[in-house]
């Protein structure tokens, strides 16, 4: 029999391995309808998505367990070649020097500060390895004020895009009361006098803060103020979805690019 004439049938998957699906989901782009039946998978915390992901994980592990010896050898080799300390180049803000240090096999690097001299003994300022017992809290962004006195940093949990921004005083390693929530991949651009900073926030179609919003607006936060009092500086209200990034303040604090 000519193998080219044979017909094969894909195996039927059990229900828990079938991804959530909605055949009614369709978008129209430039007059062309485009179906997107698997959009329900974008709901990362939905029970159906989690059930499917766990079933796929179990199925994958059942196959990979057959190669446990190779996996263990590969893991040992990777750990051996990565088990050393490496530090990035320092950046100077005011009279302080800041850098990242990855120690051996630690899951995440530590943000260090040195006082007055790039060769001085470092002090850990932010150590994400200590932010949670299970290592699921990560640092998303870290931005030092021009004078080197304050650091705005974002933390996220379990790989989420959503983040919370805190402000840490460098001199004693304590956090200020300022806490900004529902951010997504936002830096902080400091005022020259470190009295506040600019950041981006998801907003709803009507322009109010909304963690599910597909449009970003730029806000200014003054230290000591409540987040709901932050001033909106810029948004593109004519766009249903937009992204604002890489904003900078001029040296006289007069203009935002």
């Amino acid at each position: 029999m000519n193998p080219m004439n044979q017909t094969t049938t894909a195996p039927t998957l059990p229900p828990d391995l079938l991804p959530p699906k909605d055949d009614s989901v369709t978008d129209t782009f430039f007059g062309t309808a485009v179906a997107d039946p698997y959009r329900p998978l974008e709901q990362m915390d939905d029970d159906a998505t989690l059930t499917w992901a766990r079933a796929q994980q179990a199925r994958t592990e059942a196959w990979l367990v057959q190669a446990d010896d190779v996996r263990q050898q590969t893991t040992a080799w990777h750990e051996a070649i990565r088990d050393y300390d490496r530090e990035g180049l320092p950046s100077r803000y005011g009279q302080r020097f800041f850098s990242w240090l990855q120690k051996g096999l630690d899951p995440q690097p530590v943000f260090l500060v040195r006082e007055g001299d790039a060769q001085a003994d470092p002090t850990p300022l932010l150590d994400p390895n200590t932010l949670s017992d299970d290592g699921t809290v990560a640092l998303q962004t870290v931005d030092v004020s021009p004078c080197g006195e304050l650091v705005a940093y974002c933390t996220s949990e379990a790989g989420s895009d959503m983040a919370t921004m805190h402000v840490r005083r460098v001199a004693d390693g304590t956090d200020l009361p300022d806490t900004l929530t529902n951010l997504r991949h936002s830096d902080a651009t400091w005022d020259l006098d470190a009295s506040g900073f600019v950041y981006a926030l998801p907003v709803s179609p009507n322009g109010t803060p909304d963690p599910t919003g597909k449009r970003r607006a730029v806000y200014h936060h003054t230290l000591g103020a409540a987040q709901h009092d932050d001033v909106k500086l810029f948004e593109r209200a004519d766009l249903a979805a937009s992204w604002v990034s890489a904003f900078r303040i001029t040296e006289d604090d007069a203009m935002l690019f």
Side-chain angles (χ1 to χ4, degrees):
M1 179 182 294
N2 185 344
M4 297 298 293
N5 295 329
Q6 295 184 28
T7 300
T8 59
T9 303
T12 301
L13 295 175
D16 62 342
L17 290 177
L18 295 175
K21 187 179 181 182
D22 184 351
D23 290 320
S24 68
V25 180
T26 303
D27 292 307
T28 300
F29 299 105
F30 306 104
T32 300
V34 179
D36 191 5
Y38 295 107
R39 189 173 297 171
L41 283 173
E42 296 178 10
Q43 305 303 317
M44 301 293 291
D45 297 325
D46 187 78
D47 287 343
T49 301
L50 292 173
T51 297
W52 175 78
R54 289 166 183 153
Q56 289 287 358
Q57 177 72 14
R59 182 189 186 204
T60 301
E61 289 296 334
W63 277 94
L64 292 179
V65 73
Q66 302 173 66
D68 267 351
D69 289 345
V70 174
R71 294 174 74 186
Q72 291 176 16
Q73 294 172 27
T74 303
T75 299
W77 178 78
H78 276 286
E79 289 180 348
I81 65 172
R82 291 188 296 110
D83 193 4
Y84 66 97
D85 296 350
R86 54 266 193 207
E87 184 174 352
L89 293 173
S91 298
R92 179 177 178 176
Y93 295 86
Q95 298 304 310
R96 292 186 170 98
F97 294 82
F98 299 84
S99 60
W100 290 96
L101 172 65
Q102 178 74 50
K103 290 186 66 64
L105 299 177
D106 281 355
Q108 302 183 65
V110 179
F111 193 58
L112 306 176
V113 59
R114 289 177 169 87
E115 297 286 347
D117 189 333
Q119 304 302 318
D121 290 337
T123 299
L125 183 63
L126 294 167
D127 185 353
N129 301 293
T130 64
L131 295 178
S132 63
D133 293 336
D134 58 1
T136 57
V137 175
L139 285 175
Q140 254 191 21
T141 59
V142 175
D143 297 286
V144 185
S145 65
C147 57
E149 297 291 334
L150 299 168
V151 173
Y153 67 98
C154 281
T155 59
S156 61
E157 297 185 14
S160 173
D161 286 345
M162 303 307 299
T164 300
M165 185 174 287
H166 312 269
V167 179
R168 178 156 296 188
R169 186 184 293 110
V170 177
D172 57 13
T174 60
D175 284 354
L176 304 183
D178 301 72
T179 302
L180 310 184
T181 60
N182 294 326
L183 280 69
R184 183 181 288 125
H185 301 300
S186 177
D187 294 311
T189 298
W190 283 92
D191 301 336
L192 291 183
D193 62 0
S195 60
F197 53 81
V198 176
Y199 67 101
L201 193 67
V203 295
S204 66
N206 63 13
T208 58
D210 179 0
T212 66
K214 296 183 178 180
R215 192 170 74 243
R216 303 290 184 273
V218 178
Y219 286 79
H220 182 272
H221 175 73
T222 300
L223 292 181
Q227 185 177 3
H228 60 73
D229 292 328
D230 290 351
V231 178
K232 185 190 295 185
L233 302 180
F234 174 81
E235 70 172 321
R236 283 291 303 271
D238 56 316
L239 299 177
S242 65
W243 188 271
V244 182
S245 62
F247 34 83
R248 293 291 180 267
I249 296 178
T250 55
E251 291 185 359
D252 58 2
D253 268 353
M255 299 292 290
L256 175 74
F257 286 91

